Amino acid sequence: MGYAKTALLMAAMTALFMGLGYLIGGSTGMVIALIFAGGMNAFSWWNSDKMVLRMHGAQPLAPGDRFGLHEMVAQLSRNAGLPVPKVYLMDNPQPNAFATGRNPQNAAVAVTTGLMRSLSREELAGVVAHELAHIRNRDTAIMTVTATFAGAISMLANFAFFFGGSRDENRMGLVGTLAMMFLAPMAAGLVQMAISRTREYAADKAGAEICGNPLWLASALGQIQRGAARIDNLRAEANPATAHMFIINPLHMHKRDNLFATHPATENRIAALKDLAAQGGFGQGGSRQSAHPQSSAARGAGSADWSGAGAEFDGEEPSRPSVAGRPRPVPRKRRDRDEGPWS
């Protein structure tokens, strides 16, 4: 999605916000809503990373962590031409991840413990590369501002019902106010969805280029989708406005979670990545390789060795036979496809 189209969508959300202000307090309310929107976005611009990370209980990981995650993020950041973002771990059984921050210099990548247990190192590299692509594309700031707007519009819609202003100012009447109370959050959700869904495809493509093999990310998306569908994410359910920031929609507990899809269909994303691999141009990771990144043949020629990333998550040290002169941990046998090698 081009930045011009994103600007138009954000302008539409601002107009909706101001319309609600007019509904509540006439022209004065509209001006107040505009001022409030500016202050709200200024606050979220400087504090978005802290807010979202705190919402999801993310804890920082220092360089040299026993999972090897920070080292992986650093290597992929060099591939992407980015400064190394802060790295966080969320104690959450659902496999998922997100990136946040106002710019590449003030960014963070957060993954769940469930993700570390579910994925191979190559799959994990594909996920991290996807999140770094969001940072490089400056999606993190846009998506955080959108989430803030969506939450504020829902709040204002409720105010419109309870504090609808005087009769002279509230020309829509009770029926119009009721309609606005339901339609405004719906419209905000549609704008949020429009911004998020197209950017996921762009981040998938860029992430494949960063890690060197589209099939790593394709395999990871299938794993995450299956895990997210059966494992609850209570923190995300409590903060649904942040759902679009995750690599896979973390919501599924409530009926409202499926009202709007914040992400493209995972099957379509996987198909697009497989098509990208078939086009070649990814070293050894093109169409000549198998669909699962576990084999040594699936390692891109320009990719790094991901030994240690995820390998020590459960405290056990798998063997590390040499592959093409480089050490590579061998995943333990999967008990079930959904459980992953580090379960």
Side-chain angles (χ1 to χ4, degrees):
M1 176 184 292
Y3 283 98
K5 189 173 182 180
T6 300
L8 288 174
L9 288 170
M10 295 301 297
M13 192 169 278
T14 302
L16 179 60
F17 196 81
M18 293 175 65
L20 279 172
Y22 181 80
L23 176 65
I24 296 173
S27 56
T28 302
M30 183 173 64
V31 173
I32 293 174
L34 179 61
I35 295 172
F36 180 67
M40 176 184 63
N41 280 310
F43 177 81
S44 65
W45 175 261
W46 293 104
N47 297 279
S48 61
D49 53 342
K50 302 179 185 67
M51 288 191 303
V52 177
L53 292 166
R54 190 178 300 113
M55 285 178 186
H56 293 279
Q59 298 298 319
L61 285 180
D65 65 276
R66 67 187 183 92
F67 314 127
L69 182 60
H70 204 287
E71 181 183 358
M72 174 184 284
V73 173
Q75 175 62 53
L76 289 169
S77 297
R78 288 190 287 271
N79 292 355
L82 291 170
V84 180
K86 296 176 182 177
V87 182
Y88 287 81
L89 187 67
M90 297 174 282
D91 186 11
N92 193 312
Q94 184 187 85
N96 230 315
F98 67 82
T100 185
R102 63 183 182 273
N103 55 37
Q105 289 72 37
N106 296 275
V109 172
V111 305
T112 65
T113 52
L115 188 82
M116 299 288 289
R117 293 190 181 101
S118 300
L119 303 188
S120 70
R121 292 175 320 286
E122 288 89 348
E123 291 166 335
L124 181 60
V127 170
V128 170
H130 171 96
E131 299 305 333
L132 291 174
H134 275 310
I135 294 172
R136 190 172 69 180
N137 294 343
R138 309 263 176 168
D139 294 340
T140 51
I142 294 170
M143 294 166 78
T144 301
V145 169
T146 305
T148 306
F149 255 126
I153 286 174
S154 298
M155 179 185 67
L156 274 184
N158 291 327
F159 284 168
F161 176 69
F162 291 107
F163 308 103
S166 67
R167 292 189 178 185
D168 292 336
E169 293 172 328
N170 187 3
R171 297 177 183 179
M172 297 182 68
L174 179 60
V175 175
T177 301
L178 285 171
M180 198 65 166
M181 184 178 70
F182 291 103
L183 293 177
M186 191 177 297
L190 287 171
V191 175
Q192 186 181 24
M193 179 180 65
I195 290 176
S196 175
R197 295 185 67 177
T198 324
R199 290 194 174 277
E200 289 302 319
Y201 283 115
D204 285 346
K205 181 179 180 180
E209 295 169 351
I210 292 170
C211 72
N213 193 327
L215 299 180
W216 295 355
L217 179 56
S219 182
L221 290 176
Q223 285 282 84
I224 298 170
Q225 177 63 50
R226 287 187 288 273
R230 61 184 177 84
I231 301 174
D232 298 338
N233 189 328
L234 299 180
R235 286 185 178 270
E237 296 288 349
N239 301 282
T242 64
H244 67 296
M245 302 182 69
F246 286 82
I247 190 170
I248 292 289
N249 188 356
L251 308 178
H252 68 86
M253 287 179 61
H254 308 296
K255 291 183 179 180
R256 62 172 167 77
D257 292 342
N258 294 321
L259 184 59
F260 297 108
T262 57
H263 294 66
T266 304
E267 295 78 7
N268 293 342
R269 295 172 66 183
I270 292 174
L273 286 164
K274 288 182 177 180
D275 288 343
L276 189 62
Q279 296 170 15
F282 290 91
Q284 296 179 6
S287 60
R288 297 184 296 278
Q289 309 309 324
S290 63
H292 195 275
Q294 296 286 357
S295 65
S296 61
R299 298 173 66 84
S303 62
D305 169 36
W306 307 125
S307 59
E312 299 181 4
F313 182 77
D314 57 2
E316 298 183 26
E317 182 71 19
S319 59
R320 287 183 168 85
S322 175
V323 177
R326 292 175 296 183
R328 179 177 186 268
V330 176
R332 292 187 294 278
K333 182 179 179 181
R334 296 190 181 196
R335 297 189 297 273
D336 180 86
R337 175 60 186 164
D338 288 342
E339 292 181 356
W342 317 124
S343 301

